[in-house]
């Protein structure tokens, strides 16, 4: 059976229950959750909250595909590294409680305190320290090509090879490489080299880069989505095909179209 999911993002006006009800009614089988769905400053016991969320998700016939950590690993200060790693190690446990086995992991935000030529070292240093917790909880850390630092397939592969763990790989976002400004030809190259490391996906479409970017439903933008699917299947990808929509038609329409495209093309 096809594993088709939808990210909990860009659902304005939807409560958490509304989001789950919509996902189930449209035909999605999986949901990717945000860390704020289970752990905020107001949540005294995130482990208990994760158990409650899992039950709620399952009540709609859904499963959790991944938990987005919202971490920042472009750090070198030992105390900041310790804080980030301790937080991620706890997230490993929360992910397992949710019934998922993937943590969507950020690379981090560029900052003056970490020179660009130290980004890979900084991220790898944090990731290595999280491997034991990932092993213990039987989860994987999927580094997203999100933002500015990791939106480069060559850098991602360098990072994965430097860490050298089967627990560390990629969340492949099919649009983000383009948003960063890469050509469509370069993006296709990234699909090929990142596919063997991919644990989770964000199937996303659109047109243009940076300030010119406009989101679209799957199949309505300029991204070579079918080639991305081909690369992933050739590499043996067995994870969830998770829709992310940033278009202008409205989330209910856009995510329904994405679901239909995924059912027809993955």
């Amino acid at each position: 059976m096809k594993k088709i999911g939808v990210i909990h993002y860009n659902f304005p006006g939807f409560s958490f229950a509304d989001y789950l009800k919509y996902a189930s009614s449209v035909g999605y089988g999986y949901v990717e959750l945000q860390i704020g769905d289970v752990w905020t400053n107001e949540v005294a016991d995130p482990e208990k909250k994760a158990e409650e969320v899992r039950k709620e998700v399952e009540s709609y016939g859904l499963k959790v595909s991944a938990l987005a950590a919202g971490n920042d690993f472009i750090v070198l200060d030992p105390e900041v590294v310790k804080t980030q790693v301790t937080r991620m190690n706890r997230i490993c446990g929360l992910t397992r409680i949710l019934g998922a086995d993937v943590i969507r992991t950020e690379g981090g935000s560029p900052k003056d305190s970490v020179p660009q030529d130290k980004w890979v070292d900084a991220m790898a240093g944090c990731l290595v320290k999280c491997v034991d917790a990932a092993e213990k909880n039987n989860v994987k850390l999927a580094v997203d090509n999100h933002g500015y630092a990791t939106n480069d397939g060559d850098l991602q592969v360098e990072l994965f090879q430097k860490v050298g763990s089967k627990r560390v790989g990629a969340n492949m976002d099919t649009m983000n490489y383009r948003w960063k400004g890469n050509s469509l030809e370069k993006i296709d190259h990234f699909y090929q080299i990142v596919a063997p490391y991919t644990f989770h996906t964000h199937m996303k479409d659109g047109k243009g880069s940076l300030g010119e970017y406009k989101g679209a439903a799957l199949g309505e933008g300029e991204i070579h989505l079918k080639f991305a699917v081909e690369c992933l299947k050739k590499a043996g990808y067995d994870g969830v095909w998770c829709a992310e929509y940033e278009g202008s038609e409205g989330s209910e329409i856009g995510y329904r179209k994405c679901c239909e495209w995924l059912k027809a093309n993955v």
Side-chain angles (χ1 to χ4, degrees), residues 88-231:
M88 182 63 81
N89 288 348
R90 191 169 187 181
I91 291 173
C92 288
L94 295 175
T95 303
R96 177 45 56 195
I97 292 170
L98 288 168
D101 65 354
V102 175
I103 300 171
R104 181 165 63 85
T105 309
E106 299 287 342
S109 301
K111 51 187 68 68
D112 292 341
S113 60
V114 184
Q116 186 169 346
D117 62 1
K118 296 294 184 182
W119 286 357
V120 171
D121 289 339
M123 291 185 286
C126 290
L127 287 164
V128 165
K129 290 179 171 65
C130 297
V131 168
D132 285 348
E135 290 277 2
K136 177 182 177 181
N137 291 281
N138 194 25
V139 298
K140 295 169 284 190
L141 303 169
V143 181
D144 198 1
N145 54 303
H146 176 79
Y148 290 93
T150 52
N151 239 321
D152 180 318
D154 293 317
L155 181 145
Q156 283 181 289
V157 172
E158 179 186 355
L159 174 63
F160 304 149
Q161 292 178 345
K162 191 174 187 67
V163 174
S165 171
K166 65 181 181 180
R167 295 286 173 182
V168 176
N171 179 80
M172 181 190 287
D173 186 304
T174 54
M175 179 68 214
N176 278 353
Y177 294 124
R178 178 61 174 152
W179 170 85
K180 177 71 180 298
N182 293 291
S183 68
L184 294 173
E185 292 74 21
K186 186 68 171 180
I187 295 167
D188 287 348
H189 166 67
F190 287 163
Y191 295 155
Q192 290 176 303
I193 64 173
V194 175
Y197 298 93
T198 300
F199 298 144
H200 195 263
T201 62
H202 280 174
M203 301 301 294
K204 185 164 64 181
D205 206 349
K207 297 180 181 179
S209 301
L210 300 172
E212 303 300 317
Y213 164 64
K214 294 185 182 300
L218 296 178
E220 297 183 3
E222 64 183 353
I223 301 303
H224 300 158
L225 291 173
K226 291 184 179 180
F227 182 71
V229 170
E230 177 185 328
C231 290

